[in-house]
Amino acid sequence: MKMTTLVTLAAGLAMTQGASAQFALSGPTSYATAQRPAGVASGDFNGDGFADLAVGTDNLDKVSVMFNNGDGTFGAPVNFLTGAGTGAGHVAVADLVGGPQLDIAVCLQNANSVLVFQGNGAGGFTSIGAFATGTEPRFIDTGDFNGDGLTDMAVVNRDSNDVTVLTNTVGAFSGASFAVGADPRAVAVGDFNSDGSADLAVSNHDDRTVSILLGNGVGGFGAGGTLAVNPATRPEGVVAGDFDGDGDDDLAAGTGDPSLAAVWLNAGGAFGARSDYPTGGVGAGSLTAGDLDSDGDMDLAVLHVDSNNMALLANNGAGVFGAPQLLPTGTTPDHVLIADLGASGAADIAVTNRDSDSTGVYLNQLADPCYADFNSDGAINTLDVLAFLNAWGASDLGADCDGNGAVNTLDVLCFLNAWNAGC
């Protein structure tokens, strides 16, 4: 059952501390989800050109897939079981098995493994097996870690204090673990030393640090130092992205309490001093980055698990973030996703709410007037395709069609769908 609470951002400004009105998201529209929803990811699972949602739920051990109606509303969940008592948690969506269809990976927190569901491109999924990780896997990110063109996985293991890299051999995965700090909670993939190879950043809750692991390009990782958060706080979520537009991957972590977004800007492979931005709530946890105000810069969305709200922080283009704007969430918000869910060309938000058994969707009212007209000449033709591909090849965030903060092959599919649809 869908329960809609139309709380616009304008109405929510009474909850905002010193915010300007740069964001315009409606919602949340709340969708009932199985008990204790955790991770959330998006992708077009049935080939209709619209972003669907996949949610890992701890009870009763399943991945719930909600299909997009084409307007940012979602149908009832279709459930795929992970096994009794496995404790389904964080999820990731990528081409893990080979072929154009998207697959789903889910952390099995009680089974110390990651389960992979192969998609059939029409909305169906079949388990191809579980792959061993460390103890209590909590978070997955994906990337090509050995340069073979296949998508690998990095999985943070909370109780064994390590990250397991699962190397892909066309749908079969073999793992190697690398030590990090105490009680790791999340991992982000980026190129932090500007050598062209994927690196990892892991938030260490009990150590109050973020570990940097530098990739060697063939699947191995070595210690690359640590970044300290404010000593009064503990890091939870971590996200990588080019916040200042210089081509280097920067980092942000959600820390609490006091609740802060800790940001480190990267200059040519070296991180500068940390900047702390108050987020205005209690218990900052999961966070993500994307262009929420359609100005070409990556903004931040930070969840507050104790005050049941979410902070949006606008980027001024130089990696400096403004005062938070707050939106309400359900009870104990767990994970946050930014993607184009409303098929408007603008970035929307989805949040899982662990203790209210729901997923909230916030649709962006700042829709791109015509994303298909990529070169802004007033006509939609092959010149727009060439302009998009040039931007995409340069990893320009303007080519982040799905608004998830990363420029990848999914953006090509997103753009071609927009181009075929026209304006």
Side-chain angles (χ1 to χ4, degrees):
M1 181 178 68
K2 182 176 74 173
M3 301 164 287
T4 304
T5 56
L6 291 177
V7 182
T8 65
L9 183 60
L13 287 179
M15 303 170 55
T16 303
Q17 299 178 355
S20 58
Q22 68 269 24
F23 298 115
L25 286 98
S26 65
T29 300
S30 183
Y31 298 87
T33 314
Q35 286 182 296
R36 297 194 295 273
V40 59
S42 71
D44 180 7
F45 301 136
N46 58 0
D48 64 356
F50 304 111
D52 310 307
L53 293 174
V55 178
T57 57
D58 185 31
N59 192 19
L60 297 167
D61 305 300
K62 60 176 70 76
V63 173
S64 298
V65 173
M66 296 186 290
F67 293 101
N68 196 329
N69 295 320
D71 58 358
T73 64
F74 293 84
V78 177
N79 298 315
F80 299 89
L81 300 180
T82 62
T86 52
H90 193 259
V91 294
V93 169
D95 176 11
L96 299 170
V97 181
Q101 75 283 342
L102 291 175
D103 312 306
I104 299 174
V106 55
C107 288
L108 303 184
Q109 298 172 133
N110 300 334
N112 301 328
S113 60
V114 166
L115 181 66
V116 174
F117 287 101
Q118 181 176 7
N120 64 8
F125 292 90
T126 303
S127 169
I128 65 167
F131 302 92
T133 64
T135 308
E136 197 184 342
R138 286 294 299 267
F139 197 98
I140 311 171
D141 203 354
T142 61
D144 180 7
F145 302 137
N146 59 359
D148 64 356
L150 301 176
T151 302
D152 310 307
M153 293 184 280
V155 184
V156 161
N157 306 302
R158 180 174 178 177
D159 286 355
S160 53
N161 299 329
D162 55 15
V163 56
T164 299
V165 173
L166 292 170
T167 302
N168 191 347
T169 53
V170 196
F173 293 85
S174 56
S177 293
F178 302 89
V180 291
D183 194 9
R185 299 292 180 89
V187 59
V189 175
D191 181 6
F192 303 128
N193 59 353
S194 303
D195 67 350
S197 298
D199 308 312
L200 304 177
V202 178
S203 60
N204 304 308
H205 182 266
D206 287 1
D207 282 353
R208 295 178 168 86
T209 63
V210 174
S211 293
I212 305 298
L213 299 178
L214 299 178
N216 62 10
V218 293
F221 290 85
T226 59
L227 302 172
V229 302
N230 187 306
T233 68
R234 297 177 186 268
E236 187 77 27
V238 64
V239 65
D242 183 7
F243 303 141
D244 56 4
D246 66 353
D248 298 318
D249 283 329
D250 310 306
L251 281 172
T255 73
D257 273 321
S259 292
L260 303 168
V263 175
W264 297 268
L265 298 181
N266 185 350
F271 286 103
R274 185 191 73 245
S275 296
D276 288 337
Y277 298 93
T279 58
V282 183
S286 173
L287 84 167
T288 192
D291 184 5
L292 293 169
D293 52 10
S294 299
D295 66 352
D297 306 315
M298 296 185 72
D299 309 303
L300 295 176
V302 187
L303 298 184
H304 298 122
V305 298
D306 295 322
S307 54
N308 301 323
N309 54 19
M310 170 176 56
L312 308 182
L313 284 75
N315 187 345
N316 71 354
V320 177
F321 294 87
Q325 290 184 265
L326 298 182
L327 290 178
T329 65
T331 307
T332 319
D334 197 280
H335 280 90
V336 57
L337 162 78
I338 292 177
D340 181 7
L341 303 175
S344 68
D348 310 302
I349 297 175
V351 173
T352 55
N353 303 298
R354 182 175 177 83
D355 291 334
S356 54
D357 301 331
S358 64
T359 299
V361 173
Y362 307 74
L363 294 181
N364 203 328
Q365 306 306 300
L366 296 176
D368 190 317
C370 185
Y371 190 78
D373 182 16
F374 198 81
N375 64 1
S376 301
D377 66 354
I380 301 174
N381 50 38
T382 54
L383 295 179
D384 297 302
V385 177
L386 295 175
F388 172 82
L389 291 176
N390 284 333
W392 183 83
S395 297
D396 188 323
L397 277 178
D400 180 20
C401 178
D402 60 12
N404 70 350
V407 177
N408 53 36
T409 53
L410 298 180
D411 296 305
V412 176
L413 297 176
C414 174
F415 172 76
L416 290 177
N417 284 330
W419 188 81
N420 284 326
C423 293

